[in-house]
Amino acid sequence: MISIDRKINMMKKIFGGLLTLLLFSLLLPLRSSATGQIVSYQTPTSTSGVFAMVTGDDGNLWFTMPAEKKVGRSTVSGSIDEFTLSSAPYNITKGLDGNLWVTLTDDQKIAKITTSGVVTEDDISSGMGLRAPMGITAGPDGN
């Protein structure tokens, strides 16, 4: 079994620079400083569990908190804001438009969140019996 320190060091070698990690056992947003020190921050909603993370075009760390129906934004200094959604956010990705895009698993919706925190939700149910959206990524054409 590989120790967590060894896994982190392997990730640093692979990704280098400012590394964004999610340590599932702690369920906290983590950052690696320029010197390689791992720093964790407590979310304002202390009962929340962090699931998916992405670095936004604004340089902040954005993450989903499904149990709380929220998306969080953490600055490098550790200031955290939370944004409430209509249902549980699952995955998150950065779009080519600079916005963050989130799947909402309970409502067959996706949400767009601007880097200033404005949330817009869109229903993607099509009457075709599709289940909740799970993964999301930007296509080469920006859609």
Side-chain angles (χ1 to χ4, degrees):
M1 181 175 249
I2 299 174
S3 72
I4 190 66
D5 290 336
R6 178 144 183 215
K7 288 180 184 178
I8 289 171
N9 286 332
M10 288 170 43
M11 296 287 283
K12 285 181 189 177
K13 287 180 183 176
I14 293 169
F15 297 107
L18 178 62
L19 178 64
T20 303
L21 293 174
L22 173 59
L23 184 60
F24 286 96
S25 61
L26 292 178
L27 297 175
L28 298 173
L30 301 173
R31 286 191 183 266
S32 173
S33 68
T35 62
Q37 178 185 7
I38 303 297
V39 180
S40 67
Y41 305 106
Q42 180 64 50
T43 58
T45 306
S46 61
T47 59
S48 67
V50 174
F51 181 72
M53 300 176 119
V54 68
T55 303
D57 280 347
D58 58 357
N60 293 320
L61 178 64
W62 291 79
F63 51 93
T64 62
M65 298 179 286
E68 301 298 330
K69 298 181 180 179
K70 294 181 179 183
V71 166
R73 173 181 62 199
S74 175
T75 65
V76 176
S77 64
S79 174
I80 297 177
D81 296 306
E82 296 177 343
F83 306 96
T84 302
L85 303 168
S86 66
S87 72
Y90 192 70
N91 273 314
I92 186 168
T93 193
K94 175 177 58 173
L96 297 177
D97 59 0
N99 296 309
L100 291 303
W101 293 85
V102 181
T103 57
L104 303 178
T105 59
D106 297 338
D107 292 337
Q108 292 187 342
K109 291 182 179 181
I110 57 172
K112 176 179 79 172
I113 305 175
T114 67
T115 54
S116 61
V118 176
V119 177
T120 306
E121 295 183 10
D122 290 310
D123 187 341
I124 59 169
S125 62
S126 61
M128 297 171 42
L130 298 175
R131 303 284 323 251
M134 300 301 263
I136 189 165
T137 190
D141 63 352
N143 293 308

